[in-house]
Amino acid sequence: MSRLNAVLVGAIDTPARFEATSYRDDDLAFVRIVERYSDLTGGLALLRAADAPSAPALFLNAHYTVGMSTTGGHLRVATSLVGLWADVTGGRKRPRPLVRVEYNRSWLGRDRAAAHVHLHANSPELAWMYGSSGRPAPDLHALHFPVGGRRFRPTLEEFLLFLDRENLFDNWKAGWKPKLLDSLEAWERQQARGTARQFPEEAVGALETLGYRVTAPGAGGSTG
């Protein structure tokens, strides 16, 4: 949670923070952004330079369910959601979703992608593809477009970089991008360690290709 809050504090001028709430009957915690507009979206109002403070149009929604790993050595994400919501009515209606990037660890190895994207849009071409094969077209946002997989799914940092790259948000704090990139690198290093634990033989092979000498546990050392 401290990493997520560091990303918020470094990138956006907001009092919002991620807070954790424990589940009663489970060893899990729910982590979400809490701020004054949370009663509308559970997310963060991204006030652009053109917006009136009382009428935000763009909202960032991010929440996570986390618990201890099976080894008990670190926290791991069980589910996550990072998405954009928009209100084009000046506050007269509830914000509507634009895109959601989700992850569900329990779907690993099943018939749905654990890391996936939901697009809230229309596609006449996709509707034609279904119709031409005699099937009803689902709503586009009902489809689970795979993205990134277990280890390399999109992060909050990447979502903020997307907002900047596509000029959807322009009210960043001074010096925000280097801090965010440092946080993203730390996440990638963490995932690299997780991948090495998951596939130790492949990790050893890659290190030996680079000239390292790797010794198996209990054989008198680890690297040379």
Side-chain angles (χ1 to χ4, degrees), residues 68-75:
M68 294 302 297
S69 66
T70 53
T71 61
H74 61 278
L75 286 173

Side-chain angles (χ1 to χ4, degrees), residues 138-168:
D139 292 331
L140 192 59
H141 65 258
L143 300 180
H144 296 75
F145 292 95
V147 55
R150 174 184 179 184
R151 294 292 179 193
F152 305 104
R153 59 191 185 273
T155 64
L156 177 63
E157 293 91 333
E158 290 173 306
F159 214 83
L160 294 176
L161 288 170
F162 161 78
L163 291 178
D164 179 62
R165 185 169 57 247
E166 302 300 333
N167 298 312
L168 289 170

Side-chain angles (χ1 to χ4, degrees), residues 193-208 214 217:
R193 291 190 293 269
T195 300
R197 289 192 299 268
Q198 185 179 3
F199 302 107
E201 293 184 1
E202 286 74 10
V204 168
L207 289 171
E208 289 178 340
V214 182

Side-chain angles (χ1 to χ4, degrees), residues 87-104:
D87 175 14
V88 299
T89 69
R92 294 189 299 275
K93 294 183 179 181
R94 294 177 62 86
R96 296 175 60 87
L98 299 175
V99 59
R100 296 175 288 137
V101 180
E102 298 183 353
Y103 171 71
N104 191 323

Side-chain angles (χ1 to χ4, degrees), residues 17-115:
R17 296 293 184 271
F18 282 91
E19 296 184 3
T21 304
S22 297
Y23 285 104
R24 285 184 179 179
D25 303 323
D26 211 337
D27 296 327
L28 297 172
F30 184 64
V31 179
R32 70 183 182 98
I33 300 175
V34 176
E35 61 111 37
R36 59 179 172 155
Y37 292 101
S38 61
D39 60 325
L40 296 178
T41 67
L44 169 66
L46 297 177
L47 285 170
R48 304 170 301 164
D51 292 334
S54 60
L58 187 65
F59 297 82
L60 173 69
N61 206 328
H63 57 73
Y64 307 81
T65 304
V66 299
M68 294 302 297
S69 66
T70 53
T71 61
H74 61 278
L75 286 173
R76 70 180 184 183
V77 175
T79 66
S80 68
L81 178 148
V82 181
L84 285 177
W85 269 246
D87 175 14
V88 299
T89 69
R92 294 189 299 275
K93 294 183 179 181
R94 294 177 62 86
R96 296 175 60 87
L98 299 175
V99 59
R100 296 175 288 137
V101 180
E102 298 183 353
Y103 171 71
N104 191 323
R105 178 177 291 273
S106 67
W107 290 0
L108 292 173
R110 300 187 182 182
D111 59 353
R112 286 185 288 183

